Amino acid sequence: MSTSLTRAEAVCLSAITITCIGTIANTFQGDGEPLATSLAFSGIAFSFTFSLIRWLGDIFMAAGLKGKDMSKLRNVEIPETMGAVCAVVYLLTIIIFIPFPFYKDIVAATSGGGNRDVVVELQQVETGRLLHRFPHSKLASYLSAIISLQSVVLLGIGDDLFDIRWRHKFFIPAFAAIPMLVVYFVDFGVTKVVVPVPMSTYFGELLELGWLYYLYMAAIAIFCPNSINILAGINGIEVSQSLVIAFLLLINDILYLAPHTPYPHPATDSHLLSIYLLLPFVGVSLALWWHNWYPAKVFVGDTYCYFAELLIAIMGEIHSHGFQELNHGGVELVLSAHYNSYGTRLAIGSSDHRIRVFDKSEDDEWSLSDQWRAHNGEVIEVKWNGATIGQICGSIGEDYLLKIWKENPSQAIQSGRRFQCIFAQSSPYQVGYASIDFKNIQNETYLGIITRDGILSLLEPIKPYVFDDWREIDQFPVCGQRIPRSEETSFKLSFQQAEHPNYNAINAGLDTKALSVAVGAMNTVKVYRVLKPEDGAYHFDSPVAQLTGTEGLVHDVAWAPEAWRAHDWIASAGSDGFVRIYEIAALSENQAEGTDPLVGTRERASSITNGVSNRSGLSGIGAGLAGVSLLTQGSREGADFGQLPHKWKLLAELKHEGVWKVTWVPNGNMLASAGDSGKVYMWRQGPGGIWSEFADAGPEFFDEANGNGTGLG
C-alpha cells in the first residue's frame, strides 16, 4: 500500500476539508447550527482518517502491528490495528464538537461566558422549529458516551498489543460501559422492558427487571462488539456491517426530525444526540472501509470492533430514553393540569415524566416558561400551593415519589433549571401515591397526600414559609384498614380552599382555622373537619359525613372553593358515568338532634341530565365493592378533636359517560367535568335549584381557539 496520497486524492480531500471548515465558520453567524456543524466535522474526520491511515501504515508495521491476509493467494503483510486511528480521530472530533450544541444552553442562557447580566428571553430561546437547539441536560449522556468509548479504545489497543485471551477480553465492553450505566441510573433510571405481544398475556405489557436491567444492558454491551468481531476474517465485513447499522439508525433519527413529525417531539433530544454521535462515526468508518474493502490494504484490528459496536450499544441506551417516552403513541399524554390561584400559571404533568409550566401574558397569550424531567415515571398529579406562598408546586409520580418544587427566577426561561426540587419523599409502604393537595390557613401551609391503598397523611413544614423540610402530623387509613394490592382502588382528596369555613359552620361552632377535606375513597366520599388542638397538630377523627350514591369507584372529588353560601358543595366523578353534587352543612347541637350525618338524604333537587339511567342492580365494580366495609370506621381511640355534626343531601346526578375529572370555577358557582369523550362539560344551577349543562367544548374548539392545538384557551 502506498504511504502517500495521490494527487487526485489530495485535491479531493483538501476540497472536502476546506468546504467543511467554511461551513463551520458560517455557523458562527447568528445562532449557530450544530447539526450542520456535526456534518462538517464528519467530513473533516473522513479526510483526516483517510490521510492518517496512509501516512501511518509503515510506522505501524515497523512497530510490529501487521498481519498476513490468509484468504489471499499471496500472503503479503499489511498494517493492522488501523481501527485505533479511526477511533482516536472520532474521539477528538466529538470532543471538539462539544461547545457547538451546548454553548447556547450552558453559557449564553445562564450566567457564564461574560453574560452575567444577560437573560435570554423566551422569544429568543424558542421560536419556530429550532432543531439545532439542544438542552444542556443531555450533556451528561454525551460525556458518558465519550468516557465509555475512551475506555473501550484503551482496552482494545491493549488487546491488539498483548493479544488478550478470549476468556478475559470477553468482559472488556462491560467494564467500558460502566460510565454509561451510571449516568443512565442517575438521569433516567427506568428498569422496565416492553414484553413482546405474544407474551404480554402472561407478563403484562411492561416487565420490571430492577437491578437485573443493568446486567441486561451490560450484556448488550458485551454482545455487540463480539457479534462483529466473530465475523472477522473477510475483507471489509466488520466496517461494512457497522456502517449498515449506523445508516439505519440515522434514517430512524431523521424520521423523528422530519417536517411531518409533531414538534417539539418527546424523543427529539434523544435522536439529535444520536445523530451528533453517529455522523462522525460514519465519516471515519468510510475512510477505514475504503482501505479495508477487498483487496484489503489494512486490517481494522480488535480496537475498531470494540469501539464501533460499543457505540451501537450506546445508541441503544440513548434511544431507550425516547422509547420509554413514546409508550403513549409518540405524543405525551397529559395526566394532570392545575392553575394557580390567579389563573395566570398552568402546571401540566405528563406521561413523558415531565412537568411543563405555562405563563399567561397581559395579552392573554400563553407561553412555555419551563419544562423539566420531574419523575422517573409518569407524573400522576401536580398541584400549585397558594398564591401568597410564592411559586411552589408539588407533584407525585409513578416512581412512588412526592416532590416539592420551588421556582428560581434567576434561572433563564426554558433552561430546564427554573424549578428546583427542594423536598422529596418516597411512599413508605412501596405503594404509589394517588392524590395530593395543598391548604393554606393564614401563614400556615398543609399538604395532604393519600396512597393507592388508602393511607391519608397530613404534612406541614417544620418552619413557616420554608418548604424544604416537612414533618408528618397525622396518618390513618380512610377505609379503616389498608386495601389489599389485588383490589382495584381509587382515592382522591380535595381541601376546602376558602380562607375560612362558611358563616353557618362558624355559627355552629366550627373554628375559623378548622381544616376541611373531602376524600374520594373507593365508592364513597368522606368528609373530615378537624380543629387545631392545643398541641398544635391536627388529628383526624371519624368523618363528619360519608357521601354515598356512587355505584362504582369515585374517580375524582372537588370541594367548591368559596364560602359565601350557608352550606358547602362537593362534586364527585363516578365510574358509573355520573357527576354528583352534594350539599353539606354543619349543625348546632340543637339542630343535630335525631340526625345521622353518615346517612344523609338522597332526595334529588335536580333532574338527571340526558335522561334517567336504569340502575336496578349494582355494576360489576359496585358488586365487587359491596363486600368492602367502607362505612364502619369509628372514632380513633382517645380522639376528641371538636367534631361537629353535619347533614348532607344529594343535589344532582348529572349524566356524563366516562367522566374522570371534576373541578369548580374560582367563585364556586359553576362546575366543569371531563372524561373519555375529550369534551369539557359545564354545569350550573338554574332557577329552582335545578342543575343542568349549559356549555360543552371538544378538542376542535380548543384547536380553533388557539390555532395550534395546545388547548390553553
Side-chain angles (χ1 to χ4, degrees):
M1 181 187 73
S2 174
T3 58
S4 61
L5 299 172
T6 65
R7 181 180 179 84
E9 290 172 340
V11 170
C12 183
L13 293 176
S14 297
I16 293 175
T17 303
I18 293 172
T19 302
C20 292
I21 291 175
T23 301
I24 295 173
N26 189 58
T27 61
F28 287 100
Q29 306 297 322
D31 289 338
E33 294 282 349
L35 200 54
T37 306
S38 178
L39 188 60
F41 270 114
S42 303
I44 294 175
F46 170 82
S47 300
F48 271 76
T49 305
F50 194 99
S51 303
L52 287 173
I53 290 175
R54 289 289 184 87
W55 296 337
L56 297 176
D58 287 348
I59 298 175
F60 274 52
M61 291 186 67
L65 299 175
K66 57 185 177 180
K68 293 181 180 180
D69 194 344
M70 305 303 294
S71 62
K72 293 188 177 64
L73 293 177
R74 296 177 58 191
N75 295 331
V76 179
E77 290 184 337
I78 57 177
E80 199 171 5
T81 319
M82 281 300 171
V85 176
C86 176
V88 170
V89 173
Y90 173 83
L91 288 172
L92 290 174
T93 302
I94 60 176
I95 290 173
I96 296 172
F97 178 66
I98 289 176
F100 290 88
F102 298 107
Y103 176 81
K104 288 292 182 181
D105 288 284
I106 295 178
V107 180
T110 62
S111 60
N115 295 284
R116 298 187 181 277
D117 298 322
V118 176
V119 176
V120 179
E121 299 296 337
L122 174 68
Q123 293 81 359
Q124 294 174 261
V125 173
E126 196 70 46
T127 305
R129 190 183 182 87
L130 300 182
L131 293 179
H132 63 278
R133 298 291 187 190
F134 202 65
H136 76 283
S137 58
K138 289 295 180 182
L139 180 58
S141 298
Y142 191 89
L143 294 178
S144 71
I146 293 176
I147 295 173
S148 293
L149 291 171
Q150 286 177 332
S151 302
V152 82
V153 168
L154 290 174
L155 295 170
I157 292 175
D159 184 20
D160 281 328
L161 291 175
F162 304 111
D163 194 19
I164 303 174
R165 294 187 178 184
W166 268 101
R167 64 173 177 267
H168 298 146
K169 69 181 182 182
F170 180 81
F171 298 99
I172 287 178
F175 290 105
I178 289 176
M180 173 187 69
L181 296 178
V182 169
V183 171
Y184 181 86
F185 172 78
V186 174
D187 186 51
F188 198 61
V190 174
T191 54
K192 295 179 180 179
V193 294
V194 178
V195 178
V197 175
M199 304 298 294
S200 61
T201 304
Y202 307 100
F203 300 101
E205 295 183 357
L206 295 175
L207 179 64
E208 175 63 57
L209 296 182
W211 62 270
L212 291 175
Y213 183 86
Y214 296 95
L215 291 181
Y216 160 74
M217 293 289 286
I220 291 294
I222 293 173
F223 168 79
C224 289
N226 287 285
S227 65
I228 297 298
N229 198 22
I230 202 171
L231 299 176
I234 301 176
N235 290 170
I237 191 168
E238 301 106 311
V239 187
S240 297
Q241 186 169 349
S242 301
L243 281 171
V244 169
I245 296 173
F247 279 121
L248 291 175
L249 289 172
L250 280 172
I251 292 173
N252 178 62
D253 294 332
I254 292 171
L255 289 176
Y256 279 89
L257 307 180
H260 66 271
T261 305
Y263 181 82
H265 195 281
T268 296
D269 296 343
S270 296
H271 288 280
L272 271 176
L273 177 59
S274 174
I275 289 176
Y276 292 154
L277 292 173
L278 284 174
L279 285 178
F281 173 74
V282 170
V284 298
S285 295
L286 284 174
L288 183 61
W289 176 85
W290 186 281
H291 294 88
N292 185 239
W293 188 250
Y294 182 87
K297 305 174 185 64
V298 298
F299 289 141
V300 299
D302 290 336
T303 302
Y304 180 82
C305 296
Y306 288 128
F307 147 71
E309 299 316 313
L310 183 63
L311 179 63
I312 303 301
I314 290 172
M315 292 302 102
E317 188 270 338
I318 291 173
H319 286 154
S320 71
H321 291 234
F323 179 78
Q324 289 292 340
E325 294 171 345
L326 297 177
N327 285 337
H328 296 277
V331 178
E332 69 273 8
L333 177 67
V334 174
L335 300 177
S336 177
H338 191 236
Y339 288 95
N340 68 347
S341 300
Y342 300 130
T344 56
R345 307 199 85 180
L346 174 65
I348 291 176
S350 305
S351 62
D352 61 353
H353 313 173
R354 288 178 167 83
I355 294 176
R356 294 170 174 83
V357 174
F358 294 85
D359 287 335
K360 187 177 183 180
S361 68
E362 295 180 356
D363 300 328
D364 291 339
E365 296 293 332
W366 288 93
S367 57
L368 180 64
S369 174
D370 204 5
Q371 61 174 318
W372 68 96
R373 184 183 298 278
H375 291 271
N376 291 327
E378 296 177 343
V379 181
I380 300 172
E381 192 166 31
V382 58
K383 285 287 183 73
W384 289 105
N385 196 0
T388 60
I389 312 296
Q391 301 304 321
I392 303 290
C393 65
S395 64
I396 54 176
E398 289 288 358
D399 54 0
Y400 296 0
L401 287 178
L402 157 70
K403 292 186 177 182
I404 305 297
W405 305 91
K406 182 177 181 180
E407 185 178 21
N408 183 359
S410 66
Q411 295 292 339
I413 293 175
Q414 292 198 26
S415 64
R417 304 184 302 277
R418 194 169 176 87
F419 285 82
Q420 300 171 355
C421 181
I422 58 174
F423 176 80
Q425 172 182 291
S426 60
S427 176
Y429 303 107
Q430 289 301 303
V431 177
Y433 290 119
S435 182
I436 61 170
D437 199 12
F438 287 95
K439 169 65 175 179
N440 294 286
I441 302 177
Q442 297 178 6
N443 64 338
E444 300 172 354
T445 300
Y446 298 95
L447 172 63
I449 185 166
I450 191 169
T451 61
R452 289 176 178 172
D453 58 353
I455 305 299
L456 176 61
S457 301
L458 184 65
L459 290 77
E460 69 174 356
I462 294 179
K463 296 180 180 179
Y465 301 109
V466 179
F467 303 105
D468 56 1
D469 199 4
W470 296 68
R471 65 179 178 184
E472 186 178 273
I473 57 178
D474 198 20
Q475 181 187 94
F476 73 102
V478 296
C479 293
Q481 59 185 359
R482 294 178 62 186
I483 304 298
R485 295 190 181 187
S486 58
E487 296 286 339
E488 181 182 8
T489 63
S490 181
F491 295 95
K492 282 285 185 177
L493 62 88
S494 175
F495 282 111
Q496 181 199 31
Q497 294 297 344
E499 294 183 5
H500 50 76
N502 63 70
Y503 64 87
N504 183 67
I506 295 175
N507 291 336
L510 190 64
D511 190 271
T512 56
K513 297 183 69 175
L515 195 65
S516 304
V517 60
V519 180
M522 302 294 279
N523 63 344
T524 188
V525 177
K526 299 191 176 188
V527 182
Y528 298 88
R529 268 186 157 157
V530 294
L531 304 180
K532 190 171 185 178
E534 294 181 357
D535 64 1
Y538 286 99
H539 299 282
F540 287 93
D541 196 0
S542 56
V544 298
Q546 299 194 75
L547 315 180
T548 59
T550 303
E551 297 179 359
L553 296 174
V554 176
H555 285 160
D556 196 18
V557 62
W559 196 309
E562 288 298 326
W564 48 267
R565 290 177 292 267
H567 49 263
D568 290 288
W569 285 342
I570 297 175
S572 70
S575 63
D576 55 358
F578 282 88
V579 174
R580 291 176 173 83
I581 301 175
Y582 300 91
E583 177 184 301
I584 181 171
L587 302 177
S588 63
E589 293 183 1
N590 295 332
Q591 295 173 321
E593 295 181 3
T595 63
D596 186 351
L598 299 185
V599 177
T601 59
R602 286 181 51 82
E603 58 186 72
R604 294 192 182 93
S606 171
S607 61
I608 300 177
T609 305
N610 298 330
V612 180
S613 62
N614 181 14
R615 297 179 292 158
S616 57
L618 291 175
S619 64
I621 296 178
L625 293 171
V628 180
S629 178
L630 299 175
L631 306 177
T632 59
Q633 181 189 349
S635 299
R636 298 159 74 184
E637 184 178 355
D640 183 10
F641 307 119
Q643 291 278 59
L644 284 176
H646 284 65
K647 68 175 182 179
W648 64 271
K649 65 179 179 180
L650 178 64
L651 290 182
E653 284 184 323
L654 310 170
K655 186 68 174 177
H656 183 170
E657 290 290 351
V659 62
W660 281 92
K661 183 72 176 177
V662 289
T663 185
W664 295 92
V665 300
N667 62 10
N669 61 355
M670 290 183 290
L671 179 71
S673 63
D676 294 338
S677 66
K679 287 188 174 182
V680 176
Y681 293 92
M682 299 297 299
W683 314 88
R684 66 182 174 189
Q685 191 178 42
I690 304 298
W691 284 84
S692 61
E693 175 192 344
F694 71 92
D696 64 73
E700 65 282 352
F701 169 80
F702 296 109
D703 291 344
E704 181 180 352
N706 295 280
N708 55 12
T710 60
L712 299 175

